[in-house]
């Protein structure tokens, strides 16, 4: 299939592009490189373009004979979304409408959409199923929720089929080390812990150790980015064959605390990682753990890298390789 991959120069998008090529598809990447990287574009076909440019979108969709769209492009910093909500409402929501409208004009009615567990806000029960009430507590999660809701109306009115995938904590790197995580600024726990292991930062700060969790630190469900990538291919197959829209959690169905992650990183890197205990970070729910049974049963998704030490190990190998490449 010819697949338009928006945000294909980003972290999860570039892993999807690799998986899609491996499965025999032809991904066409569209990315404005505002947070993505040219080196992360693994597809032959690349457009340095912005979703805001509706005319360009239509041009690409028709010229490249696009049959499906996998839409990763978005801003994804929770803290930034609280400080600068207009950026998120425009880039994530308004620009997604432009994409949807361009798709409809060009007759493309198959979409895989990157959503997030941030749509749940502070969940009432753990593990979180797809039926959990959607009460996002930051503009980032709200934009994803708006899009999910919008898509329901686009399906009933225009026949646009979509699968929304709600990611838990994407982590790790391509086991072949063709791509990996690189954010500027980096805010995610695992790369920051590894930077401390590499001596590139003095210590890792634990954001709150007084939560009502077994060791007082927040618990998250880390899922390997290559497993996320495969889930998109399965979702695409499902959408093309069953023709049914749907929403799926993608996580590991288990949680790891911040302290556990640091301990795993110590053993993976054989480094003594200095830690400082800091204040809670605003907007952090204490525990986010998925129930991803729906994706496993309906899509046949089976994550291959469930062990947190394997996930951290791949991230570590990638960090070393990126350093050697001067990235
Ligand atoms: N965290 C931390 N120190 C850091 C970065 C993150 O203690 O320097 C914690 C954060 O509070 C959260 C967990 O690590 O409980 C995962 O945070 P991350 O930003 O990686 O992902 P999020 O769950 O916010 O999407």
């Amino acid at each position: 299939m010819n697949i338009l991959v928006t945000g294909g120069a980003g972290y999860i998008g570039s892993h999807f592009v690799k998986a899609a090529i491996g499965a025999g598809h032809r991904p066409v990447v569209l990315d404005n490189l505002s947070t993505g990287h040219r080196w992360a574009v693994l597809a032959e076909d690349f457009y340095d373009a912005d979703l805001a440019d509706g005319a360009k979108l239509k041009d690409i969709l028709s010229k490249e004979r696009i049959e499906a769209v996998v839409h990763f492009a978005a801003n994804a910093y929770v803290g930034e979304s609280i400080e600068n909500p207009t950026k998120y409402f425009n880039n994530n929501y308004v620009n997604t409408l432009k994409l949807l409208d361009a798709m409809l004009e060009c007759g493309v009615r198959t979409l895989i959409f990157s959503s997030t567990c941030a749509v749940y806000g502070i969940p009432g029960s753990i593990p979180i199923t797809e039926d959990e009430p959607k009460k996002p507590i930051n503009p980032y999660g709200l934009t994803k929720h708006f899009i999910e809701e919008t898509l329901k109306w686009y399906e009933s009115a225009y026949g646009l089929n979509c699968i929304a995938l709600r990611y838990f904590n994407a982590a790790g790197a391509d086991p072949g080390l063709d791509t990996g995580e690189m954010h500027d600024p980096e805010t995610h726990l695992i790369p920051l812990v590894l930077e401390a292991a590499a001596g590139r930062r003095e210590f890792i700060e634990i954001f709150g150790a007084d939560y009502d969790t077994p060791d007082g630190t927040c618990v998250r469900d880390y899922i390997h980015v290559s497993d996320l990538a495969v889930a998109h291919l399965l979702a695409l197959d499902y959408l093309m064959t069953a023709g049914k829209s749907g929403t799926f959690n993608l996580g590991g169905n288990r949680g790891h605390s911040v302290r556990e992650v640091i301990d795993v990183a110590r053993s993976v890197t054989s480094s003594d990682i200095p830690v400082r205990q800091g204040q809670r970070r605003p907007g952090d729910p204490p525990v986010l753990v998925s129930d991803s049974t729906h994706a496993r049963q309906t899509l046949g998704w089976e994550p291959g890298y469930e062990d947190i030490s394997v996930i951290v190990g791949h991230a570590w190998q990638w960090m070393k390789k990126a350093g050697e490449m001067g990235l």
Side-chain angles (χ1 to χ4, degrees):
M1 258 198 285
N2 299 325
I3 306 172
L4 181 68
V5 185
T6 75
Y11 176 40
I12 306 175
S14 65
H15 287 79
F16 170 74
V17 167
K18 176 164 178 173
I21 293 170
H25 295 298
R26 185 176 77 94
V28 175
V29 169
L30 179 147
D31 200 300
N32 67 4
L33 300 180
S34 61
T35 57
H37 309 280
R38 186 63 185 88
W39 56 257
V41 178
L42 304 180
E44 278 179 23
D45 301 287
F46 170 59
Y47 290 90
D48 182 349
D50 200 293
L51 285 178
D53 188 348
K56 182 81 181 169
L57 287 177
K58 279 181 254 174
D59 183 43
I60 297 168
L61 287 165
S62 56
K63 196 167 106 194
E64 299 291 351
R65 302 181 318 282
I66 296 298
E67 297 159 85
V69 176
V70 183
H71 177 34
F72 295 97
N75 292 115
Y77 289 120
V78 167
E80 182 187 53
S81 80
I82 293 170
E83 283 156 25
N84 191 5
T86 184
K87 176 173 177 180
Y88 281 72
F89 291 121
N90 280 292
N91 286 353
N92 291 4
Y93 188 66
V94 175
N95 285 352
T96 295
L97 290 185
K98 294 201 170 149
L99 173 66
L100 299 183
D101 293 343
M103 286 174 65
L104 292 176
E105 279 196 42
C106 296
V108 182
R109 290 191 158 74
T110 302
L111 175 71
I112 308 294
F113 170 59
S114 292
S115 189
T116 168
C117 61
V119 299
Y120 299 116
I122 298 176
S125 58
I126 298 288
I128 304 168
T129 65
E130 289 82 359
D131 298 331
E132 179 72 25
K134 268 55 82 184
K135 295 180 184 164
I137 55 170
N138 53 63
Y140 166 65
L142 190 58
T143 60
K144 296 288 183 172
H145 178 54
F146 281 167
I147 297 166
E148 285 191 11
E149 292 298 304
T150 303
L151 284 164
K152 292 179 191 162
W153 295 105
Y154 272 56
E155 182 182 20
S156 58
Y158 311 124
L160 194 149
N161 290 330
C162 173
I163 286 186
L165 299 174
R166 294 185 185 140
Y167 313 145
F168 281 66
N169 286 58
D174 170 37
L177 304 183
D178 289 328
T179 183
E181 186 163 18
M182 190 155 298
H183 295 113
D184 185 18
E186 187 54 78
T187 62
H188 293 114
L189 179 66
I190 291 177
L192 290 176
V193 170
L194 295 177
E195 283 180 15
R200 286 178 20 206
R201 64 178 56 235
E202 267 180 63
F203 58 88
I204 181 77
E205 180 174 348
I206 296 180
F207 295 151
D210 57 349
Y211 286 98
D212 185 15
T213 58
D215 67 14
T217 66
C218 286
V219 172
R220 293 288 181 273
D221 183 342
Y222 297 91
I223 183 77
H224 197 292
V225 63
S226 296
D227 285 328
L228 287 182
V230 169
H232 292 71
L233 290 175
L234 294 170
L236 206 46
D237 282 350
Y238 177 81
L239 205 47
M240 299 306 282
T241 50
K244 273 197 228 156
S245 295
T247 304
F248 298 89
N249 283 341
L250 296 180
N253 297 353
R254 41 87 186 113
H256 295 288
S257 73
V258 173
R259 282 199 205 284
E260 276 171 3
V261 169
I262 295 169
D263 282 341
V264 167
R266 284 186 174 129
S267 105
V268 164
T269 62
S270 308
S271 319
D272 177 29
I273 300 171
V275 162
R276 280 195 203 164
Q277 211 166 288
Q279 298 299 310
R280 290 184 178 197
R281 184 172 67 176
D284 264 343
V287 180
L288 290 173
V289 174
S290 73
D291 178 336
S292 305
T293 309
H294 186 33
R296 287 159 208 251
Q297 289 183 345
T298 310
L299 304 178
W301 182 54
E302 283 176 32
Y305 306 104
E306 293 190 289
D307 186 336
I308 187 71
S309 58
V310 172
I311 294 175
V312 173
H314 287 164
W316 179 235
Q317 286 163 24
W318 164 252
M319 184 173 281
K320 287 194 288 189
K321 177 171 176 192
E324 283 160 21
M325 290 168 64
L327 297 177

